[in-house]
Amino acid sequence: MSGASGELRATVIVVAFQQEQALPACLRALRDQVVGRDSFEVVVVDNGGNGGARDATAGLWDRWLVTDHNLGCSGGRNFGAADARADVIFFVDDDGVPDRAFLATGLAALDADPDAVAVRGRVVPKDHWVWTTLLDGVANLGPEPVSNVSYELEGASCVRRAPFEAVGGFDERLAGGEGRDFVMRAKALNPRAHCRYEPTMVLAHDYVRGLGHFLYKARRAAIARERMAKGDAMPTFNPPPGTFTVPRWKPPLPLRVTRRVLNRASQRIGQLPYNVRAPK
């Protein structure tokens, strides 16, 4: 993967849904990567609701793929990955801003670790620092690289294309834990397969923007788990990540108390009746 200048080393997939305002910053940050622009391609998957973003960002992407309805995060990522031309596929959240070394760090990590099938980065707050910090145990695993970690935050990651295709990509029934599920299926083919965490592969992103957003994510994750247990497909609108574990570090007491209350609430939310909206 460290070939000559001009070799296509990576495909970056950005699944965009209702991100007319935030998408340009994401794509500009990709343009400004330390990796040469001729060594990676940017594929935008338009899941709908992006207004004039296509025209406003012309020149910042290589291909703009339009879906006939909202495929959700995992469905959109699989859709884009099927169009990838490089051996490494990056997934970047549409409202995130990658650090200039984001792509270089992911590529270097895969070069250095042949058994790594995926690399996940570190997510830092963009605007809503309180809520992103509250979930630091998911978004931020600390300052040191770690091998064989849980693969969360699929919107700040990269995978090797061959094993990703071999297992059929992300399971679209999930709304949280898609990365962990992918790595587990990759392990069935290669027991040494694992995911690596690289703290210098940084994405500025508000993983959670407030109480309502947290409850939405918890609710969608509960629905996804229920539907997967029944063998059903996910609804075709953005399923968000939904694994909220206690971090290894101790945040301030008010944040710890808030997290416990919200985690308890998410269990109750999962018991409520719901109606799945039909795709538009």
Side-chain angles (χ1 to χ4, degrees):
M1 287 175 288
S2 57
S5 176
E7 177 186 352
L8 189 64
R9 303 177 66 195
T11 296
V12 184
I13 307 296
V14 180
V15 179
F17 177 66
Q18 296 183 347
Q19 290 297 341
E20 182 175 14
Q21 301 302 316
L23 185 61
C26 175
L27 297 180
R28 285 194 296 269
L30 289 172
R31 175 197 60 194
D32 296 336
Q33 293 291 295
V34 296
V35 174
R37 185 61 181 87
D38 59 349
S39 64
F40 68 94
E41 60 178 356
V42 176
V43 177
V44 177
V45 177
D46 187 343
N47 253 347
N50 295 300
R54 179 172 184 166
D55 292 338
T57 59
L60 298 178
W61 42 266
D62 297 284
R63 293 188 299 290
W64 184 286
L65 309 179
V66 180
T67 61
D68 59 4
H69 62 274
N70 187 348
L71 301 176
C73 289
S74 292
R77 287 167 183 155
N78 287 343
F79 185 79
D83 194 65
R85 298 174 182 173
D87 291 335
V88 175
I89 302 173
F90 282 80
F91 300 106
V92 177
D93 278 329
D94 52 4
D95 56 345
V97 178
D99 181 82
R100 293 189 69 238
F102 188 88
L103 300 184
T105 300
L107 289 168
L110 290 178
D111 280 340
D113 191 346
D115 291 323
V117 295
V119 179
R120 58 157 293 184
R122 177 166 59 99
V123 175
V124 299
K126 186 171 69 170
D127 298 310
H128 300 269
W129 68 270
V130 171
W131 285 93
T132 305
T133 302
L134 180 68
L135 293 173
D136 247 6
V138 176
N140 183 351
L141 299 183
E144 299 298 329
V146 184
S147 292
N148 203 25
V149 297
S150 176
Y151 179 10
E152 301 291 347
L153 299 168
E154 291 74 19
S157 68
C158 63
V159 301
R160 295 188 194 272
R161 179 180 172 184
F164 187 77
E165 290 181 343
V167 301
F170 293 126
D171 190 325
E172 296 174 21
R173 295 172 297 175
L174 291 171
E178 301 97 318
R180 285 185 288 114
D181 174 75
F182 154 62
V183 173
M184 291 304 296
R185 286 183 285 124
K187 281 181 177 290
L189 300 180
N190 173 15
R192 297 187 303 276
H194 62 270
C195 176
R196 184 176 179 86
Y197 165 71
E198 287 293 337
T200 56
M201 182 177 167
V202 178
L203 181 77
H205 179 230
D206 293 325
Y207 184 59
V208 174
R209 297 186 295 273
L211 176 60
H213 194 209
F214 178 94
L215 296 178
Y216 168 77
K217 283 175 174 280
R219 180 75 185 119
R220 295 297 305 123
I223 294 171
R225 288 193 294 270
E226 177 184 332
R227 294 181 67 86
M228 187 177 182
K230 295 179 179 178
D232 296 334
M234 274 300 297
T236 53
F237 58 95
N238 271 11
T243 300
F244 307 106
T245 55
V246 177
R248 291 181 292 181
W249 69 289
K250 282 192 174 183
L253 179 61
L255 294 185
R256 299 206 305 272
V257 171
T258 302
R259 187 196 341 261
R260 287 182 179 276
V261 171
L262 294 177
N263 282 342
R264 293 286 182 87
S266 70
Q267 297 175 16
R268 296 294 184 90
I269 294 167
Q271 304 299 318
L272 297 174
Y274 65 91
N275 295 315
V276 176
R277 289 179 289 179
K280 295 181 179 180

